Amino acid sequence: MATILLAEDEAVLRMLIGDTLEDEGHQLDIVCDGEEALQKIGQNQYDLVILDYMMPKLTGFDVLTQMKEMPEKQSVKVLILSAKSQHAEQEKMRSAGADDFMPKPFSPLELVRKVEDMLA
């Protein structure tokens, strides 16, 4: 069982992803914007952070770059979810410290496989 932070601004996706990962036995904290995500990251230790790329207040990219500046958060795995699936966007995320990238839309089964691979 892993501790995961999910930051997603779309309510339906938050519910779908949250339910799917909780059904797999993971413990989740769920937030709906980048500022909340950054606060949670600063206060808690996560095995994995799942960030939507396009969020209000701070984007997933903003959260990622600020998180990777925190020495104690360097080893936390980060998965970016985004409708922006161009290769250049993926490279930008990986260069900033993202461990993987998942284009939207995706199936819950795909997400579970990706999360399990990242946590292995």
Side-chain angles (χ1 to χ4, degrees):
M1 180 175 95
T3 304
I4 299 172
L5 174 65
L6 169 63
E8 170 61 62
D9 64 326
E10 293 180 45
V12 172
L13 269 179
R14 269 197 316 272
M15 187 179 69
L16 174 68
I17 295 168
D19 289 350
T20 300
L21 293 176
E22 285 174 346
D23 287 349
E24 293 295 313
H26 300 296
Q27 179 184 334
L28 261 78
D29 283 341
I30 301 173
V31 298
C32 61
D33 68 53
E35 278 184 1
E36 284 183 280
L38 207 51
Q39 284 178 342
K40 287 280 190 185
I41 290 165
Q43 296 167 351
N44 301 289
Q45 186 60 43
Y46 295 104
D47 300 301
L48 174 66
V49 174
I50 301 174
L51 297 172
D52 180 21
Y53 181 72
M54 302 289 285
M55 288 187 292
K57 299 184 183 175
L58 292 173
T59 68
F61 181 77
D62 296 333
V63 174
L64 173 65
T65 56
Q66 290 182 48
M67 176 186 156
K68 291 300 181 173
E69 290 173 0
M70 301 174 193
E72 69 280 7
K73 306 300 178 183
Q74 295 291 316
S75 63
V76 177
K77 301 274 186 192
V78 178
L79 173 62
I80 300 290
L81 308 176
S82 180
K84 291 183 163 216
S85 59
Q86 297 88 353
H87 184 72
E89 289 297 323
Q90 292 182 31
E91 286 306 308
K92 177 181 172 184
M93 294 296 152
R94 285 193 172 93
S95 294
D99 295 284
D100 214 336
F101 185 93
M102 183 166 244
K104 291 179 182 179
F106 52 83
S107 77
L109 190 57
E110 272 182 290
L111 178 68
V112 167
R113 272 194 289 244
K114 178 83 71 179
V115 166
E116 296 305 325
D117 286 349
M118 290 181 75
L119 294 170

